[in-house]
Amino acid sequence: MKKFLYDIKVEASQLKERTDEELSCKVLENKKQLREKETDDQIAKWFAITQEIAYRTIGFRHFETQLSAGLFLHRGKIVEMKTGEGKTLCSTLPVSLNAVSGKGVHVVTVNDYLAERDQKWMGKVYQGLGLDVGLVKSTSSLSEKRKSYQKSITYVTNSELVFDYLRDSSAYYPNEMVQRPFHYCVLDEIDSILIDEARTPLIISTNQGAINGNKLYLANQIIDDLEKEKDFQIDEKRKDINLTELGYQKTKEKLGKRTLYEVDDPWILEILNALKAKYIFKLNKDYIVLNNKIVIVDEFTGRIMEDRRWSMGIHEAVEVKENVVLGSGTKTKSSITYQNFFTLYPKLAGMTGTAKTTEKEFQDIYNLDVIVVETAKPMIRKDLSDLVYQSELKKWKAVLSQSKDCFKKGQPILIGTASVEKSELLSELFKLSRIPHQVLNAKPENVFRESEIVAQAGKRFAVTIATNMAGRGTDIILGGNPNFQMKQIFTGLFLEPEEFDFSLLTKEFPSLDWKEKKEDISLDYSQLGKPNVLRQDIENLPYSLEQTPKSFQVLYQYIYDNLFEQWKQENIQVKELGGLFVLGTERSETRRIDNQLRGRAGRQGDPGVSQFCVSLEDDLMKVFGGESIRKWVEYLMSDEDLPLESDMLTKSLENAQKKLELYNYDIRKNVFQYDNILNSQRKQLFQARKRILCEINSSNLFLCYLESNWEKIEPAEGRVNFFPDFYDEKELPTLYEELWLQRELRFNEWNSYEKGFFSNSQTWKFLTIFDFYWTEHLERMSSIRETINWRSYGQQNPLTEYNLEAFQSFQEMIEEMRSCMIYYFLDHPILQ
């Protein structure tokens, strides 16, 4: 690595003296060499060029730590870099290098805001390197997506990328497809995507029709009479509920049923779902009610997921519980997990601030190594031992007291909560105590201001409550963020003047005529023929500043220079106060989430403090050793108001988290193993489907499929085996001749109605057949998956049994599919 960094340094020193034109020639020369042969020497030269281009376009030059991280990313590793160490800039090195091949690179972020921000910001670097950059958003049209995916580099969110893949795999016409073959992918916040969201499959559904609402409402009424522990038991660890024998008998009698497992009218799923909706799925923690709909809250990022629904009837049970409009029933048309999707890339890499604690999982499931990159400046943050209180009430009193202390002296404090409900509770306490504060949780009105809230969380006297700090993308700068403050000022001046306090500006800049400045800028936009672009430029500040009129830039720079001087003074003051104080109010299920919160303090060598206030009534304590720890704390502490602070207790909490992490890892591994069985089948089907869709001479391809129905195929790599049992192999040549003749007759007959009618119609029909039987197969496998674990009681391995069932079901699907094709091909009438 030292030699690699030295080579970059030597090359970079020469590039500094070159003109822009000479540097452009160097870019072209290096691209050609890289396409011919990629060597460490060529990579070092490219990194040096990228470093110089970055400095000339956006004013940043890569540190040595970023150069090292860039090489690891290029080699397909996961890089752990602490918050504020410049992961976004670091990614330009491997992304641009891999984009030189022209095969396309995907940069995946966790939300649209980050994708758009990075595409506009880092896009200047890529354009300086002669590479084009695309952006895919959930609101993009098909044509916009197709153009973006054809670019050298494409920024896209993880969910939109996967849904586009599933939509392509369900397309009925070639022009509905938007993606091209995968090449190289860099995942930002890779642990959030491949670990936290690994258990949730992404699903494209087809409408199943109306669901039985009466059944759901009756189940919801019946469970009101069931008593906890007596009639049902809750497994806090697994987040599951089971009926006791008494509860089963009571429920059965209330329904007037002999059993809850009747084939024609089963009730067990509805009863269990109603119980889970009431006792496990919590309002303002697991979901919120928005516009009379249940909207899921991501437990790891704190964001709402409007396009997601829980499966197996859970979502409908929660809808009944909250008395909102019931959604329609659906059947899975196509699905894939993040675990299996991202293994489709020939080369995958990722960045995050917290990956080391899940290193084993990355290695076992994804074959990805984790490399920890040291910080550019020494880390001086103080991580204090946990404060453990005997009750939740005492804990909230302590949080309020600490917040008051910080606010009184002006030290910014960031308070992490576990749910929307807890953040709202704390907000009410602050209002009663008259402490000005900001709340960042899953509520839409707060999400809209997310980047602004995070950006100003480092100002003096700032008090910020946040449900989660994963993947926020905006650094907390001590003293505040002058760039975001500039954006607020220009938004108020031009876009929201009725809500803007002009007295603040007139006080700071008494000599400026704001009305005249506004008129000049508006006039310049009109003369350029871009009156509607003003809003877009302001929303994209500071990345859009270069393309704004001169009058806009002059005013911006004048205000910014003044604010920057104020920021420098405040930055020093906040550092003297000890930097940002991060206060966690509950230990989460994983150490990574806690580390993400801690990581908001102490960026780039800044001072900072982090501490967790927990209680014996917190969820983690209830699941792991709450009673034994409670007895120990009560023995040591006679005064309930005082906390217990000890390194040993902090370690015991971390050990509880480790146990939970291992448990969740086993679940994710189990999901991966089961989905991996379907994944090989999915690849076969999608490949065959794509051939039918894109093959120019599709008629011959269909004929091959039909001929293969009578051929004996040996099973290989999980592929199906067709066993002919109704023909004599000697008769095959005659049978083939009949097929060929029938094909020619049908082809000519159909074309007499309309040219191309035969090929177009049969393509659509055959794809419909594919989709129908694949959906039926997925439904069968879903039902089998729900019950397969019971076979372990018969000394059978559930995974082995599932594999056999999947193979048989897939074989049955192929046979049904081909039989349907034969009927359609040989006997189906032209017009239906």
Side-chain angles (χ1 to χ4, degrees):
M1 183 60 75
K2 286 183 179 179
K3 182 183 182 304
F4 178 73
L5 294 175
Y6 176 77
D7 290 344
I8 295 174
K9 191 174 183 179
V10 171
E11 182 72 18
S13 64
Q14 298 173 4
L15 294 174
K16 289 177 184 178
E17 308 300 322
R18 295 183 181 254
T19 64
D20 289 346
E21 291 75 16
E22 290 172 333
L23 192 58
S24 295
C25 292
K26 195 73 177 172
V27 169
L28 292 173
E29 177 189 335
N30 205 237
K31 275 184 180 178
K32 184 180 178 182
Q33 292 170 346
L34 282 167
R35 285 171 183 149
E36 290 173 356
K37 188 177 182 181
E38 184 185 289
T39 63
D40 287 347
D41 182 53
Q42 294 299 331
I43 294 172
K45 288 180 179 179
W46 182 262
F47 277 24
I49 291 172
T50 306
Q51 186 185 46
E52 185 61 28
I53 291 286
Y55 182 72
R56 296 189 188 190
T57 53
I58 62 175
F60 292 102
R61 194 183 295 278
H62 301 77
F63 299 138
E64 284 195 356
T65 53
Q66 292 171 324
L67 295 169
S68 302
L71 183 61
F72 290 128
L73 288 171
H74 172 63
R75 290 175 175 171
K77 311 290 185 186
I78 294 174
V79 170
E80 177 177 296
M81 297 175 73
K82 300 303 179 189
T83 301
E85 290 297 300
K87 293 189 289 290
T88 305
L89 180 64
C90 164
S91 67
T92 58
L93 299 164
V95 168
S96 61
L97 176 60
N98 285 272
V100 168
S101 67
K103 295 179 182 178
V105 173
H106 293 161
V107 185
V108 180
T109 67
V110 293
N111 61 57
D112 278 339
Y113 164 73
L114 291 179
E116 188 167 6
R117 184 203 70 175
D118 293 352
Q119 185 257 351
K120 286 182 168 62
W121 189 15
M122 298 298 119
K124 296 174 183 178
V125 180
Y126 299 130
Q127 287 160 13
L129 292 166
L131 301 168
D132 51 357
V133 191
L135 172 67
V136 173
K137 299 171 66 176
S138 56
T139 54
S140 302
S141 65
L142 273 180
S143 60
E144 288 170 340
K145 285 185 176 183
R146 193 177 301 108
K147 287 176 184 176
S148 291
Y149 280 119
Q150 291 300 317
K151 303 282 187 183
S152 305
I153 300 157
T154 307
Y155 280 85
V156 59
T157 62
N158 49 299
S159 59
E160 200 61 29
L161 176 67
V162 179
F163 278 125
D164 282 339
Y165 169 76
L166 292 175
R167 282 188 283 262
D168 277 6
S169 303
S170 304
Y172 278 77
Y173 301 96
N175 61 3
E176 291 178 349
M177 300 172 69
V178 296
Q179 293 179 341
R180 55 173 167 162
F182 297 153
H183 170 51
Y184 175 64
C185 177
V186 174
L187 281 167
D188 192 13
E189 305 296 344
I190 189 170
D191 54 337
S192 176
I193 297 169
L194 294 189
I195 303 294
D196 297 337
E197 298 194 53
R199 284 155 54 180
T200 308
L202 285 90
I203 298 170
I204 289 183
S205 302
T206 182
N207 202 316
Q208 192 179 25
I211 57 176
N212 191 338
N214 292 335
K215 197 171 184 180
L216 296 175
Y217 283 105
L218 183 55
N220 191 55
Q221 291 174 6
I222 286 173
I223 65 157
D224 286 339
D225 295 330
L226 300 181
E227 299 177 38
K228 188 177 177 181
E229 298 303 330
K230 183 179 177 182
D231 298 318
F232 63 90
Q233 294 176 333
I234 301 176
D235 188 331
E236 298 279 0
K237 184 178 175 182
R238 291 180 170 80
K239 294 184 179 179
D240 199 7
I241 289 182
N242 287 304
L243 291 173
T244 63
E245 183 62 33
L246 181 63
Y248 180 82
Q249 293 296 334
K250 186 187 290 187
T251 306
K252 194 173 63 170
E253 289 170 8
K254 282 182 173 294
L255 288 168
K257 298 283 184 179
R258 289 190 307 104
T259 172
L260 299 182
Y261 295 91
E262 286 182 7
V263 176
D264 296 331
D265 189 26
W267 275 85
I268 187 65
L269 186 62
E270 284 78 8
I271 296 297
L272 291 178
N273 282 346
L275 286 168
K276 288 175 185 177
K278 183 174 181 179
Y279 294 99
I280 292 180
F281 290 83
K282 306 286 194 232
L283 177 65
N284 288 332
K285 180 180 180 182
D286 301 299
Y287 65 91
I288 62 172
V289 178
L290 179 64
N291 298 327
N292 204 30
K293 292 172 68 175
I294 299 299
V295 181
I296 299 173
V297 175
D298 189 326
E299 64 178 304
F300 299 104
T301 66
R303 295 187 177 91
I304 58 173
M305 301 187 291
E306 293 191 68
D307 57 342
R308 303 279 185 92
R309 287 180 67 86
W310 288 304
S311 58
M312 298 304 296
I314 289 290
H315 207 96
E316 290 78 11
V318 175
E319 287 172 331
V320 169
K321 167 192 167 184
E322 297 296 342
N323 198 26
V324 300
V325 177
L326 275 175
S328 59
T330 58
K331 291 175 72 173
T332 300
K333 183 178 181 182
S334 188
S335 72
I336 194 169
T337 60
Y338 285 123
Q339 291 171 317
N340 272 308
F341 173 79
F342 283 104
T343 57
L344 298 174
Y345 284 88
K347 185 160 69 167
L348 180 68
M351 312 176 291
T352 181
T354 47
K356 196 65 179 175
T357 56
T358 46
E359 182 178 23
K360 185 178 185 299
E361 183 166 352
F362 279 123
Q363 182 62 53
D364 290 352
I365 293 182
Y366 304 104
N367 196 27
L368 291 170
D369 296 323
V370 175
I371 308 293
V372 179
V373 177
E374 294 298 318
T375 55
K377 295 179 181 178
M379 172 69 74
I380 61 172
R381 182 185 68 229
K382 296 177 183 177
D383 294 330
L384 305 178
S385 299
D386 293 6
L387 299 176
V388 182
Y389 290 86
Q390 295 187 36
S391 70
E392 195 171 20
L393 177 61
K394 304 299 182 187
K395 176 183 76 173
W396 290 120
K397 285 176 67 176
V399 170
L400 181 60
S401 176
Q402 179 63 65
S403 302
K404 282 181 178 178
D405 289 345
C406 287
F407 178 70
K408 193 177 294 183
K409 64 181 181 180
Q411 183 180 16
I413 181 169
L414 172 68
I415 305 155
T417 61
S419 67
V420 176
E421 183 182 28
K422 298 292 174 61
S423 67
E424 297 289 335
L425 168 66
L426 192 55
S427 178
E428 288 301 318
L429 290 176
F430 283 173
K431 287 174 185 176
L432 291 171
S433 301
R434 297 183 179 179
I435 300 176
H437 61 280
Q438 298 286 345
V439 179
L440 178 55
N441 58 29
K443 293 285 184 71
E445 61 269 23
N446 298 321
V447 172
F448 179 73
R449 298 176 53 244
E450 175 182 315
S451 57
E452 173 197 329
I453 293 171
V454 176
Q456 303 306 344
K459 287 179 70 68
R460 274 194 311 153
F461 301 102
V463 179
T464 310
I465 304 168
T467 49
N468 196 290
M469 293 306 298
R472 297 296 178 186
T474 305
D475 287 344
I476 298 178
I477 300 172
L478 299 185
N481 189 322
N483 284 322
F484 273 86
Q485 198 170 348
M486 289 298 299
K487 187 173 179 178
Q488 286 177 304
I489 290 172
F490 275 79
T491 298
L493 275 174
F494 292 95
L495 307 182
E496 301 169 3
E498 66 282 351
E499 300 175 16
F500 187 64
D501 186 359
F502 280 92
S503 63
L504 296 174
L505 287 181
T506 53
K507 183 179 178 181
E508 291 287 341
F509 309 97
S511 61
L512 282 181
D513 186 337
W514 294 104
K515 185 177 180 182
E516 182 183 344
K517 294 295 181 185
K518 284 182 64 176
E519 289 175 353
D520 289 346
I521 291 172
S522 298
L523 182 61
D524 284 347
Y525 270 96
S526 296
Q527 289 177 344
L528 289 170
K530 300 178 178 178
N532 299 324
V533 178
L534 175 60
R535 172 179 289 274
Q536 185 178 332
D537 283 349
I538 291 173
E539 289 175 349
N540 291 327
L541 284 173
Y543 317 115
S544 58
L545 186 59
E546 292 178 1
Q547 63 197 41
T548 60
K550 189 70 175 176
S551 57
F552 189 106
Q553 294 180 23
V554 170
L555 180 62
Y556 186 96
Q557 197 61 48
Y558 180 79
I559 301 173
Y560 183 83
D561 289 344
N562 184 281
L563 290 179
F564 189 74
E565 288 302 316
Q566 294 179 16
W567 170 79
K568 285 199 294 186
Q569 295 174 19
E570 187 163 337
N571 178 262
I572 294 170
Q573 292 172 337
V574 174
K575 285 180 178 178
E576 290 173 347
L577 290 168
L580 179 68
F581 194 115
V582 170
L583 184 62
T585 61
E586 196 168 323
R587 283 283 192 165
S588 67
E589 289 188 356
T590 67
R591 289 166 292 164
R592 286 185 307 101
I593 304 300
D594 293 343
N595 290 338
Q596 286 164 358
L597 181 61
R598 282 192 197 275
R600 289 295 164 173
R603 66 179 291 276
Q604 295 186 4
D606 286 341
V609 183
S610 76
Q611 188 167 41
F612 280 83
C613 272
V614 299
S615 83
L616 298 179
E617 295 175 349
D618 291 347
D619 289 343
L620 189 69
M621 293 291 197
K622 290 178 183 176
V623 174
F624 288 99
E627 197 56 40
S628 59
I629 293 178
R630 177 186 291 279
K631 289 178 181 176
W632 184 49
V633 172
E634 288 174 350
Y635 173 74
L636 292 175
M637 303 295 295
S638 56
D639 189 342
E640 290 187 3
D641 288 332
L642 293 177
L644 180 62
E645 181 179 5
S646 80
D647 291 336
M648 188 170 72
L649 192 54
T650 298
K651 286 178 182 176
S652 75
L653 284 170
E654 289 180 351
N655 287 333
Q657 287 177 307
K658 286 178 184 178
K659 290 179 184 177
L660 198 50
E661 286 167 5
L662 285 172
Y663 171 73
N664 287 331
Y665 167 53
D666 288 339
I667 292 177
R668 288 190 293 267
K669 189 174 182 180
N670 188 258
V671 169
F672 177 73
Q673 289 172 328
Y674 279 94
D675 191 57
N676 210 30
I677 294 167
L678 281 181
N679 195 44
S680 61
Q681 298 176 351
R682 185 187 297 114
K683 286 179 181 177
Q684 292 179 57
L685 184 95
F686 285 3
Q687 186 179 12
R689 200 182 186 286
K690 192 171 183 180
R691 279 195 69 192
I692 288 178
L693 190 61
C694 301
E695 192 83 24
I696 296 174
N697 193 356
S698 58
S699 294
N700 289 338
L701 181 64
F702 297 147
L703 197 60
C704 290
Y705 274 113
L706 294 173
E707 289 175 354
S708 68
N709 194 62
W710 284 277
E711 293 177 359
K712 190 176 291 186
I713 303 174
E714 296 301 325
E717 299 178 0
R719 296 180 182 276
V720 294
N721 184 10
F722 298 95
F723 295 96
D725 56 1
F726 56 89
Y727 69 89
D728 186 338
E729 289 189 19
K730 295 178 182 178
E731 297 177 0
L732 273 180
T734 305
L735 180 59
Y736 287 166
E737 287 177 7
E738 289 292 330
L739 277 174
W740 301 331
L741 182 61
Q742 186 70 272
R743 176 223 179 220
E744 289 299 318
L745 289 173
R746 299 273 312 218
F747 183 80
N748 292 327
E749 183 183 5
W750 284 34
N751 277 344
S752 66
Y753 289 86
E754 181 184 334
K755 189 173 182 180
F757 179 72
F758 178 78
S759 57
N760 292 336
S761 177
Q762 71 175 358
T763 298
W764 180 87
K765 188 65 180 180
F766 280 20
L767 292 177
T768 303
I769 293 170
F770 265 58
D771 291 347
F772 174 81
Y773 286 108
W774 175 247
T775 300
E776 292 296 304
H777 171 62
L778 291 180
E779 287 292 306
R780 277 198 300 269
M781 294 316 302
S782 178
S783 299
I784 292 169
R785 177 73 181 88
E786 288 299 312
T787 58
I788 200 73
N789 286 327
W790 289 102
R791 301 195 188 184
S792 61
Y793 291 104
Q795 305 303 310
Q796 294 175 317
N797 185 315
L799 186 62
T800 303
E801 291 296 304
Y802 183 81
N803 200 348
L804 291 171
E805 293 279 3
F807 177 78
Q808 292 169 6
S809 177
F810 192 62
Q811 184 180 38
E812 180 183 332
M813 180 198 81
I814 295 293
E815 290 172 350
E816 289 175 339
M817 195 181 291
R818 286 184 169 166
S819 297
C820 192
M821 284 183 178
I822 292 172
Y823 166 75
Y824 176 77
F825 192 85
L826 299 178
D827 194 44
H828 198 67
I830 297 173
L831 300 175
Q832 301 186 58

